[in-house]
């Protein structure tokens, strides 16, 4: 209790708008959550909520989330009762929510494709892109894709062009003559018109940023995947648990699904790398478009598998933050109650669109 006559320092007012913007951008960078504020919804109470994939890989409306109170979630079909929507007709927000709930991943690259396919509009001022912080985090991955472009066009002797940002920065170069010469050099190398260079650079940066994003998510989750797979041995060696045929069957199914889907994603990355290397042997705009179309055609499969894998491993890590915490019995309970639920969707995604042969782009 404060002493009488002692004035406590005033606490700074919370900037709720700034907090909302920060939370929205974090969701846009994630694979498993989409902020509903980006959609033209009529219901005010929904605009600060988000749709998430829960541990069972089901879509749910998250009204609130807090470390102390947990996550308050609603099923899409519970929304009419929650918001007193009329019973005599389907509310337009419910139509949007139903369409959104069937998407397999909420990463921005999958959203670009599936929102368009489902006819779900976004607000006019919304741009489906990664935050500046996330793009900076991916800079190391991006370098392996942008340096070949720079070397192909400008070579190693041009010290003024050291990064992809330097190439993009040519459009703002105060030395107009110098910038135009370099851009003309790029246009000639790519066999496109000078006016097409900005669109090419935008597409080039975006498609390889998407690949960097997915690879980064895969790299981030693999240590947890390995921890989870290692924990299978403790369950199988437990005298009580190894005599439970249903548990042993489930463990094998889950383990095989995770191994197969991880191998599938890694294989897709290898295919993309092979196609990219062939493209860079003699780069032109048409070769790039072929690689771009191939990578984009697998966005929703990669996004869906990585979303499911991320959600499952995130919940596992939260419950068992240390390999030595939580015994085999508790871990087996989680596998039977949560881990196995919905995991077949990851396997089904892979089967629905298996990886074809690498795009054959031969050197002239």
């Amino acid at each position: 209790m404060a002493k009488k006559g002692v004035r406590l320092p005033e606490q700074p007012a919370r900037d709720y708008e700034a907090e909302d913007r920060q939370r929205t951008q974090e969701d846009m960078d994630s694979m498993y959550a989409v902020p509903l504020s980006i959609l033209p919804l009529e219901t005010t109470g929904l605009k600060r909520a988000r749709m998430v994939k829960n541990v069972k890989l089901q879509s749910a409306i998250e009204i609130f989330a807090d470390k102390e109170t947990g996550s308050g979630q609603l099923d899409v079909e519970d929304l009419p009762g929650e918001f007193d929507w009329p019973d005599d007709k389907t509310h337009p927000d419910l139509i949007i929510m139903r369409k959104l709930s069937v998407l397999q991943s909420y990463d921005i690259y999958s959203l670009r494709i599936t929102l368009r396919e489902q006819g779900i509009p976004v607000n006019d001022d919304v741009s489906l892109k990664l935050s500046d912080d996330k793009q900076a985090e991916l800079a190391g991955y991006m370098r392996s894709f942008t340096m070949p472009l720079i070397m192909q066009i400008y070579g190693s002797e041009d010290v003024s062009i050291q990064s992809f940002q330097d190439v993009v920065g040519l459009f703002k170069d105060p030395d107009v003559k110098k910038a135009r010469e370099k851009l003309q050099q790029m246009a000639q190398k790519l066999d496109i018109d000078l006016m097409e260079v900005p669109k090419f650079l935008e597409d080039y940066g975006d498609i390889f940023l998407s690949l960097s994003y997915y690879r980064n998510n895969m790299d981030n989750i693999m240590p947890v995947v390995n921890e989870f797979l290692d924990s299978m041995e403790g369950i199988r060696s437990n005298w009580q648990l190894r005599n439970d045929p249903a548990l042993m069957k489930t463990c094998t199914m889950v383990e095989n699904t995770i191994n197969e889907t991880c191998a599938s994603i890694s294989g897709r990355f290898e295919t993309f790398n092979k196609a990219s290397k062939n493209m860079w042997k003699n780069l032109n705009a048409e070769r790039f478009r072929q690689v771009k179309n191939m990578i984009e055609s697998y966005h929703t499969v990669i996004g869906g598998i990585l979303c499911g894998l991320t959600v499952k491993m995130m919940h596992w890590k939260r419950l068992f933050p240390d390999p030595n915490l939580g015994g085999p019995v508790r871990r087996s309970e989680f596998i039977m109650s949560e881990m196995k639920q919905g995991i077949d969707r990851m396997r089904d995604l892979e089967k629905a669109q298996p990886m074809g042969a690498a795009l054959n782009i031969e050197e002239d």
Side-chain angles (χ1 to χ4, degrees):
M1 180 180 295
K3 294 182 180 179
K4 187 176 181 180
V6 177
R7 185 175 181 179
L8 296 175
E10 293 184 4
Q11 298 296 318
R14 290 181 64 178
D15 188 341
Y16 289 101
E17 288 189 6
E19 291 179 10
D20 285 346
R21 287 194 299 271
Q22 176 68 21
R23 184 166 55 246
T24 295
Q25 194 57 71
E26 289 175 355
D27 288 342
M28 297 288 277
D29 288 343
S30 84
M31 304 207 71
Y32 52 84
V34 57
L36 300 184
S37 60
I38 71 172
L39 304 175
L41 300 174
E42 297 179 6
T43 309
T44 303
L46 276 177
K47 292 180 180 179
R48 292 196 66 196
R50 63 181 190 162
M51 185 169 281
V52 300
K53 290 293 182 182
N54 60 28
V55 68
K56 296 181 180 180
L57 302 187
Q58 298 168 335
S59 296
I61 310 296
E62 187 176 74
I63 303 298
F64 65 85
D66 185 86
K67 290 182 179 179
E68 301 297 329
T69 58
S71 174
Q73 299 182 2
L74 292 171
D75 186 84
V76 169
E77 297 306 319
D78 293 334
L79 293 176
E82 181 70 18
F83 293 105
D84 295 323
W85 290 340
D87 297 327
D88 57 340
K89 63 178 180 178
T90 303
H91 195 282
D93 288 354
L94 182 58
I95 295 174
I96 293 177
M97 291 298 97
R98 283 172 172 169
K99 289 181 177 180
L100 191 63
S101 68
V102 301
L103 307 191
Q104 299 294 338
S105 174
Y106 295 133
D107 69 275
I108 64 162
Y109 298 103
S110 296
L111 283 175
R112 289 179 186 178
I113 297 170
T114 52
L115 290 181
R116 182 175 63 250
E117 290 176 344
Q118 292 289 331
I120 303 174
V122 296
N123 294 326
D124 292 338
D125 61 340
V126 170
S127 178
L128 293 176
K129 65 178 185 178
L130 299 174
S131 68
D132 292 341
D133 288 345
K134 175 58 74 171
Q135 292 188 46
E137 180 184 337
L138 300 177
Y141 292 85
M142 277 293 287
R143 185 174 175 81
S144 65
F145 298 116
T146 56
M147 284 310 295
L149 170 69
I150 294 169
M151 295 297 292
Q152 178 75 211
I153 294 173
Y154 298 115
S156 60
E157 297 180 357
D158 193 337
V159 295
S160 66
I161 304 294
Q162 295 293 317
S163 70
F164 190 69
Q165 287 68 33
D166 291 337
V167 179
V168 176
L170 288 172
F171 295 97
K172 301 177 182 179
D173 197 316
D175 189 339
V176 177
K177 181 179 178 181
K178 176 184 175 183
R180 186 176 181 84
E181 287 175 352
K182 289 187 177 297
L183 293 172
Q184 186 65 55
Q185 182 179 343
M186 172 174 279
Q188 291 174 351
K189 187 72 176 181
L190 296 172
D191 194 24
I192 59 177
D193 187 85
L194 180 63
M195 300 302 292
E196 296 179 65
V197 172
K199 181 65 167 63
F200 171 84
L201 290 176
E202 180 182 352
D203 288 346
Y204 190 96
D206 189 67
I207 197 63
F208 287 116
L209 186 64
S210 76
L211 199 49
S212 299
Y213 170 79
Y214 288 130
R215 291 182 64 172
N216 174 250
N217 276 281
M218 183 73 170
D219 288 348
N220 286 341
I221 206 65
M222 280 310 298
V224 187
V225 170
N226 291 330
E227 283 184 17
F228 171 76
L229 294 176
D230 288 344
S231 72
M232 293 293 99
E233 180 59 31
I235 293 174
R236 289 193 174 97
S237 62
N238 182 277
W239 66 270
Q240 175 186 352
L241 300 177
R242 66 189 178 195
N243 292 314
D244 183 338
L247 172 61
M248 293 298 100
K249 182 178 179 180
T250 299
C251 286
T252 298
M253 182 274 292
V254 169
E255 188 175 29
N256 288 344
T257 299
I258 290 178
N259 277 322
E260 289 167 7
T261 52
C262 286
S264 167
I265 296 298
S266 297
R268 291 172 195 267
F269 289 154
E270 286 301 313
T271 298
F272 298 152
N273 285 338
K274 181 179 179 181
S276 299
K277 288 178 180 178
N278 286 338
M279 174 191 74
W280 287 320
K281 290 177 182 177
N282 190 359
L283 180 66
N284 61 44
E286 178 57 30
R287 290 169 184 242
F288 166 69
R289 276 191 288 269
Q290 293 175 23
V291 172
K292 174 179 179 289
N293 291 339
M294 180 186 68
I295 294 174
E296 284 182 335
S297 70
Y298 290 105
H299 271 171
T300 56
V301 174
I302 294 175
I305 294 174
L306 279 178
C307 174
L309 192 62
T310 298
V311 169
K312 292 291 187 183
M313 293 301 111
M314 184 176 64
H315 282 273
W316 174 267
K317 190 66 175 178
R318 191 180 70 245
L319 287 176
F320 309 107
D322 187 286
N324 298 317
L325 293 178
V329 172
R330 188 177 169 209
R331 291 168 185 261
S332 67
E333 290 172 350
F334 178 78
I335 290 172
M336 293 297 287
S337 63
E338 306 287 356
M339 183 64 77
K340 76 173 184 178
Q341 299 296 325
I343 201 169
D344 55 316
R345 298 180 187 180
M346 295 161 54
R347 185 176 59 247
D348 292 343
L349 273 172
E350 162 59 24
K351 290 181 178 179
Q353 193 178 5
M355 189 75 223
L359 190 64
N360 186 25
I361 301 178
E362 299 294 344
E363 186 176 7
D364 289 339

